[in-house]
Short mmCIF file of all heavy atoms in Angstrom, two decimals:
data_model
loop_
_atom_site.label_atom_id
_atom_site.label_comp_id
_atom_site.label_asym_id
_atom_site.label_seq_id
_atom_site.Cartn_x
_atom_site.Cartn_y
_atom_site.Cartn_z
N PHE M 1045 66.38 68.22 76.87
CA PHE M 1045 65.74 66.92 77.07
C PHE M 1045 64.28 66.94 77.62
O PHE M 1045 63.69 65.91 77.56
CB PHE M 1045 66.62 66.00 78.02
CG PHE M 1045 68.01 65.70 77.32
CD1 PHE M 1045 69.10 66.28 77.88
CD2 PHE M 1045 68.09 64.75 76.30
CE1 PHE M 1045 70.29 65.97 77.38
CE2 PHE M 1045 69.31 64.51 75.76
CZ PHE M 1045 70.37 64.91 76.40
N ASP M 1046 63.86 68.19 78.08
CA ASP M 1046 62.57 68.23 78.71
C ASP M 1046 61.44 67.70 77.92
O ASP M 1046 60.54 67.00 78.26
CB ASP M 1046 62.34 69.61 79.21
CG ASP M 1046 63.01 69.97 80.46
OD1 ASP M 1046 63.95 69.16 80.84
OD2 ASP M 1046 62.72 70.84 81.11
N GLY M 1047 61.43 68.18 76.56
CA GLY M 1047 60.34 67.80 75.64
C GLY M 1047 60.32 66.29 75.48
O GLY M 1047 59.35 65.65 75.42
N ILE M 1048 61.47 65.75 75.21
CA ILE M 1048 61.58 64.30 74.98
C ILE M 1048 61.17 63.50 76.22
O ILE M 1048 60.49 62.55 75.97
CB ILE M 1048 63.23 63.91 74.65
CG1 ILE M 1048 63.53 64.73 73.33
CG2 ILE M 1048 63.30 62.47 74.47
CD1 ILE M 1048 64.95 64.60 73.04
N ILE M 1049 61.59 63.98 77.38
CA ILE M 1049 61.30 63.32 78.60
C ILE M 1049 59.83 63.22 78.80
O ILE M 1049 59.22 62.17 79.16
CB ILE M 1049 62.07 63.98 79.81
CG1 ILE M 1049 63.54 63.52 79.64
CG2 ILE M 1049 61.48 63.33 81.15
CD1 ILE M 1049 64.40 64.50 80.68
N LYS M 1050 59.06 64.28 78.58
CA LYS M 1050 57.68 64.43 78.70
C LYS M 1050 57.00 63.52 77.86
O LYS M 1050 55.96 62.84 78.17
CB LYS M 1050 57.21 65.91 78.48
CG LYS M 1050 57.75 66.89 79.58
CD LYS M 1050 57.21 68.31 79.19
CE LYS M 1050 57.84 69.31 80.29
NZ LYS M 1050 57.43 70.69 79.90
N LYS M 1051 57.37 63.35 76.47
CA LYS M 1051 56.76 62.48 75.63
C LYS M 1051 56.90 60.94 76.09
O LYS M 1051 56.04 60.20 75.86
CB LYS M 1051 57.29 62.79 74.24
CG LYS M 1051 56.84 64.10 73.64
CD LYS M 1051 57.31 64.24 72.16
CE LYS M 1051 57.05 65.61 71.60
NZ LYS M 1051 55.59 65.80 71.47
N ILE M 1052 58.16 60.72 76.44
CA ILE M 1052 58.43 59.39 76.85
C ILE M 1052 57.60 59.05 78.08
O ILE M 1052 57.13 57.86 78.18
CB ILE M 1052 59.86 59.21 77.24
CG1 ILE M 1052 60.69 59.23 75.90
CG2 ILE M 1052 60.25 57.69 77.69
CD1 ILE M 1052 62.24 59.21 75.96
N LEU M 1053 57.50 59.90 79.04
CA LEU M 1053 56.72 59.74 80.34
C LEU M 1053 55.15 59.36 79.88
O LEU M 1053 54.68 58.43 80.43
CB LEU M 1053 56.76 60.90 81.21
CG LEU M 1053 58.02 61.03 82.01
CD1 LEU M 1053 58.02 62.42 82.69
CD2 LEU M 1053 57.97 60.03 83.11
N VAL M 1054 54.65 60.07 78.92
CA VAL M 1054 53.30 59.85 78.61
C VAL M 1054 53.30 58.58 77.82
O VAL M 1054 52.27 57.64 77.99
CB VAL M 1054 52.80 61.02 77.66
CG1 VAL M 1054 51.44 60.59 77.07
CG2 VAL M 1054 52.70 62.29 78.43
N TRP M 1055 54.15 58.25 77.00
CA TRP M 1055 54.15 57.01 76.11
C TRP M 1055 54.21 55.73 76.95
O TRP M 1055 53.48 54.77 76.72
CB TRP M 1055 55.26 56.97 75.10
CG TRP M 1055 55.32 55.76 74.31
CD1 TRP M 1055 54.50 55.35 73.16
CD2 TRP M 1055 56.22 54.75 74.38
NE1 TRP M 1055 54.80 54.15 72.78
CE2 TRP M 1055 56.00 53.63 73.59
CE3 TRP M 1055 57.40 54.44 75.32
CZ2 TRP M 1055 56.66 52.44 73.35
CZ3 TRP M 1055 58.09 53.27 75.08
CH2 TRP M 1055 57.78 52.35 74.27
N VAL M 1056 55.15 55.74 78.06
CA VAL M 1056 55.27 54.55 78.76
C VAL M 1056 54.20 54.54 79.78
O VAL M 1056 54.12 53.46 80.56
CB VAL M 1056 56.73 54.54 79.55
CG1 VAL M 1056 57.75 54.53 78.42
CG2 VAL M 1056 56.89 55.63 80.46
N LYS M 1057 53.57 55.58 80.02
CA LYS M 1057 52.40 55.65 80.95
C LYS M 1057 52.82 55.27 82.48
O LYS M 1057 52.13 54.73 83.19
CB LYS M 1057 51.24 54.68 80.50
CG LYS M 1057 50.65 55.11 79.19
CD LYS M 1057 49.47 54.26 78.87
CE LYS M 1057 48.99 54.47 77.51
NZ LYS M 1057 48.58 55.84 77.19
N GLY M 1058 54.12 55.62 82.82
CA GLY M 1058 54.56 55.30 84.05
C GLY M 1058 54.81 53.96 84.49
O GLY M 1058 54.88 53.53 85.56
N ASP M 1059 54.94 52.98 83.40
CA ASP M 1059 55.02 51.59 83.62
C ASP M 1059 56.50 51.30 83.64
O ASP M 1059 57.23 51.33 82.82
CB ASP M 1059 54.41 50.80 82.40
CG ASP M 1059 54.40 49.33 82.69
OD1 ASP M 1059 55.10 48.93 83.59
OD2 ASP M 1059 53.75 48.63 81.80
N PRO M 1060 56.92 50.83 84.91
CA PRO M 1060 58.43 50.41 85.06
C PRO M 1060 59.06 49.44 83.93
O PRO M 1060 60.09 49.56 83.69
CB PRO M 1060 58.31 49.91 86.55
CG PRO M 1060 57.26 50.59 87.18
CD PRO M 1060 56.18 50.71 86.22
N VAL M 1061 58.08 48.52 83.55
CA VAL M 1061 58.52 47.53 82.50
C VAL M 1061 58.83 48.25 81.42
O VAL M 1061 59.95 48.01 80.73
CB VAL M 1061 57.43 46.47 82.46
CG1 VAL M 1061 57.83 45.59 81.14
CG2 VAL M 1061 57.23 45.61 83.56
N LYS M 1062 58.06 49.09 80.76
CA LYS M 1062 58.30 49.81 79.54
C LYS M 1062 59.43 50.71 79.78
O LYS M 1062 60.40 50.87 78.73
CB LYS M 1062 57.04 50.69 79.14
CG LYS M 1062 55.94 49.78 78.68
CD LYS M 1062 54.76 50.68 78.28
CE LYS M 1062 53.56 49.81 77.85
NZ LYS M 1062 52.51 50.71 77.32
N ILE M 1063 59.71 51.36 80.91
CA ILE M 1063 60.78 52.20 81.07
C ILE M 1063 61.99 51.50 81.10
O ILE M 1063 63.05 51.90 80.50
CB ILE M 1063 60.54 52.95 82.47
CG1 ILE M 1063 59.39 53.88 82.27
CG2 ILE M 1063 61.88 53.79 82.84
CD1 ILE M 1063 59.02 54.54 83.68
N CYS M 1064 62.18 50.26 81.75
CA CYS M 1064 63.33 49.49 81.91
C CYS M 1064 63.70 48.96 80.41
O CYS M 1064 64.85 49.02 80.12
CB CYS M 1064 63.25 48.43 82.85
SG CYS M 1064 63.09 49.11 84.59
N VAL M 1065 62.73 48.39 79.75
CA VAL M 1065 62.92 47.83 78.36
C VAL M 1065 63.47 49.08 77.48
O VAL M 1065 64.27 48.92 76.64
CB VAL M 1065 61.86 47.15 77.93
CG1 VAL M 1065 61.98 46.77 76.32
CG2 VAL M 1065 61.46 45.92 78.70
N GLY M 1066 62.72 50.18 77.71
CA GLY M 1066 63.07 51.36 76.79
C GLY M 1066 64.53 51.80 77.11
O GLY M 1066 65.29 52.19 76.25
N THR M 1067 64.94 51.64 78.31
CA THR M 1067 66.40 51.96 78.72
C THR M 1067 67.29 50.96 77.92
O THR M 1067 68.34 51.58 77.41
CB THR M 1067 66.60 51.87 80.24
OG1 THR M 1067 65.61 52.76 80.86
CG2 THR M 1067 67.89 52.20 80.55
N ALA M 1068 67.02 49.93 78.02
CA ALA M 1068 67.88 48.84 77.19
C ALA M 1068 67.91 49.17 75.79
O ALA M 1068 68.96 49.10 75.00
CB ALA M 1068 67.41 47.39 77.39
N ALA M 1069 66.83 49.49 75.19
CA ALA M 1069 66.69 49.86 73.70
C ALA M 1069 67.56 51.06 73.50
O ALA M 1069 68.28 51.09 72.46
CB ALA M 1069 65.27 50.09 73.35
N LEU M 1070 67.44 52.13 74.25
CA LEU M 1070 68.31 53.32 73.99
C LEU M 1070 69.75 53.00 74.18
O LEU M 1070 70.65 53.53 73.45
CB LEU M 1070 67.89 54.36 75.05
CG LEU M 1070 68.59 55.67 74.81
CD1 LEU M 1070 68.39 56.35 73.53
CD2 LEU M 1070 68.19 56.74 76.02
N ALA M 1071 70.21 52.22 75.14
CA ALA M 1071 71.49 51.77 75.43
C ALA M 1071 72.08 51.01 74.36
O ALA M 1071 73.17 51.21 73.82
CB ALA M 1071 71.64 51.04 76.71
N THR M 1072 71.21 50.20 73.64
CA THR M 1072 71.74 49.37 72.50
C THR M 1072 72.07 50.38 71.36
O THR M 1072 73.03 50.29 70.67
CB THR M 1072 70.49 48.45 72.00
OG1 THR M 1072 70.24 47.68 73.05
CG2 THR M 1072 71.06 47.67 70.77
N CYS M 1073 71.18 51.45 71.14
CA CYS M 1073 71.39 52.23 70.01
C CYS M 1073 72.53 53.18 70.20
O CYS M 1073 73.57 53.31 69.37
CB CYS M 1073 70.10 53.23 69.69
SG CYS M 1073 68.73 52.29 69.33
N ILE M 1074 72.63 53.77 71.44
CA ILE M 1074 73.78 54.70 71.69
C ILE M 1074 75.23 53.95 71.86
O ILE M 1074 76.26 54.47 71.36
CB ILE M 1074 73.56 55.50 72.99
CG1 ILE M 1074 72.23 56.16 72.99
CG2 ILE M 1074 74.66 56.48 73.16
CD1 ILE M 1074 72.13 57.27 71.88
N SER M 1075 75.08 52.74 72.16
CA SER M 1075 76.40 52.01 72.22
C SER M 1075 76.99 51.61 70.97
O SER M 1075 78.20 51.03 70.93
CB SER M 1075 76.11 50.65 73.07
OG SER M 1075 75.70 50.86 74.52
N LEU M 1076 76.25 51.84 69.94
CA LEU M 1076 76.74 51.51 68.56
C LEU M 1076 78.07 52.31 68.31
O LEU M 1076 78.80 51.96 67.46
CB LEU M 1076 75.73 51.80 67.52
CG LEU M 1076 74.60 50.75 67.44
CD1 LEU M 1076 73.52 51.26 66.50
CD2 LEU M 1076 75.11 49.36 67.00
N ASP M 1077 78.22 53.42 69.10
CA ASP M 1077 79.49 54.24 68.77
C ASP M 1077 80.67 53.62 69.40
O ASP M 1077 81.82 54.01 69.14
CB ASP M 1077 79.27 55.63 69.14
CG ASP M 1077 79.33 55.91 70.75
OD1 ASP M 1077 79.28 54.82 71.44
OD2 ASP M 1077 79.59 56.99 71.16
N GLY M 1078 80.52 52.53 70.21
CA GLY M 1078 81.68 51.90 70.80
C GLY M 1078 82.23 52.68 71.96
O GLY M 1078 83.24 52.09 72.53
N ASP M 1079 81.60 53.81 72.43
CA ASP M 1079 82.25 54.46 73.44
C ASP M 1079 81.36 54.44 74.78
O ASP M 1079 80.27 55.10 74.60
CB ASP M 1079 82.59 55.96 73.04
CG ASP M 1079 83.06 56.80 74.15
OD1 ASP M 1079 83.95 56.34 74.93
OD2 ASP M 1079 82.67 57.92 74.39
N GLY M 1080 81.85 53.84 75.87
CA GLY M 1080 81.04 53.65 76.98
C GLY M 1080 80.64 55.00 77.57
O GLY M 1080 79.55 55.23 78.10
N SER M 1081 81.57 55.96 77.62
CA SER M 1081 81.33 57.23 78.28
C SER M 1081 80.18 58.04 77.60
O SER M 1081 79.36 58.58 78.27
CB SER M 1081 82.69 58.20 78.15
OG SER M 1081 83.63 57.38 78.88
N THR M 1082 80.09 57.99 76.30
CA THR M 1082 79.08 58.65 75.51
C THR M 1082 77.78 57.85 75.84
O THR M 1082 76.71 58.59 76.06
CB THR M 1082 79.34 58.50 74.02
OG1 THR M 1082 80.49 59.21 73.64
CG2 THR M 1082 78.19 59.22 73.23
N THR M 1083 77.72 56.61 75.99
CA THR M 1083 76.45 55.86 76.25
C THR M 1083 75.93 56.20 77.55
O THR M 1083 74.76 56.48 77.73
CB THR M 1083 76.81 54.37 76.15
OG1 THR M 1083 77.24 54.03 74.88
CG2 THR M 1083 75.52 53.63 76.41
N TYR M 1084 76.93 56.33 78.63
CA TYR M 1084 76.52 56.59 79.94
C TYR M 1084 75.97 58.00 80.00
O TYR M 1084 74.88 58.30 80.67
CB TYR M 1084 77.67 56.57 80.82
CG TYR M 1084 78.18 55.09 80.82
CD1 TYR M 1084 79.53 54.82 81.26
CD2 TYR M 1084 77.44 53.95 80.56
CE1 TYR M 1084 80.02 53.54 81.30
CE2 TYR M 1084 77.96 52.68 80.63
CZ TYR M 1084 79.27 52.52 80.90
OH TYR M 1084 79.79 51.25 80.99
N LEU M 1085 76.69 59.02 79.35
CA LEU M 1085 76.24 60.42 79.35
C LEU M 1085 74.82 60.60 78.72
O LEU M 1085 73.89 61.22 79.30
CB LEU M 1085 77.23 61.24 78.68
CG LEU M 1085 78.52 61.46 79.50
CD1 LEU M 1085 79.62 61.97 78.51
CD2 LEU M 1085 78.34 62.55 80.43
N VAL M 1086 74.65 59.94 77.54
CA VAL M 1086 73.41 60.18 76.88
C VAL M 1086 72.27 59.47 77.63
O VAL M 1086 71.12 60.10 77.76
CB VAL M 1086 73.47 59.76 75.32
CG1 VAL M 1086 72.17 59.80 74.70
CG2 VAL M 1086 74.46 60.49 74.65
N CYS M 1087 72.44 58.27 77.95
CA CYS M 1087 71.39 57.45 78.60
C CYS M 1087 70.89 58.07 79.88
O CYS M 1087 69.73 58.21 80.15
CB CYS M 1087 71.73 55.99 78.74
SG CYS M 1087 71.82 55.12 77.10
N THR M 1088 71.92 58.41 80.73
CA THR M 1088 71.61 58.91 82.07
C THR M 1088 70.81 60.30 81.89
O THR M 1088 69.99 60.54 82.54
CB THR M 1088 72.90 59.17 82.89
OG1 THR M 1088 73.47 57.81 83.03
CG2 THR M 1088 72.55 59.64 84.30
N SER M 1089 71.39 61.18 80.95
CA SER M 1089 70.91 62.50 80.92
C SER M 1089 69.35 62.45 80.42
O SER M 1089 68.49 63.11 80.90
CB SER M 1089 71.67 63.34 79.83
OG SER M 1089 72.98 63.46 80.31
#
């Protein structure tokens, strides 16, 4: 995840608004599998 995290950090420019909205966007995509545990694991990681 390190490379992904670094790119996201640069993209959001450390803006809490973009980070929080991005969190919601990722949760929406991952939640499509219908399994809460998977969503929590992927989004948190």
Side-chain angles (χ1 to χ4, degrees):
F1045 293 109
D1046 281 17
I1048 299 172
I1049 291 169
K1050 289 175 184 177
K1051 290 184 183 299
I1052 294 176
L1053 277 169
V1054 173
W1055 177 74
V1056 301
K1057 301 185 186 301
D1059 185 351
V1061 173
K1062 291 182 179 179
I1063 293 171
C1064 290
V1065 173
T1067 300
L1070 180 62
T1072 302
C1073 297
I1074 304 300
S1075 293
L1076 287 171
D1077 76 338
D1079 180 40
S1081 300
T1082 302
T1083 301
Y1084 300 155
L1085 284 162
V1086 174
C1087 290
T1088 302
S1089 299

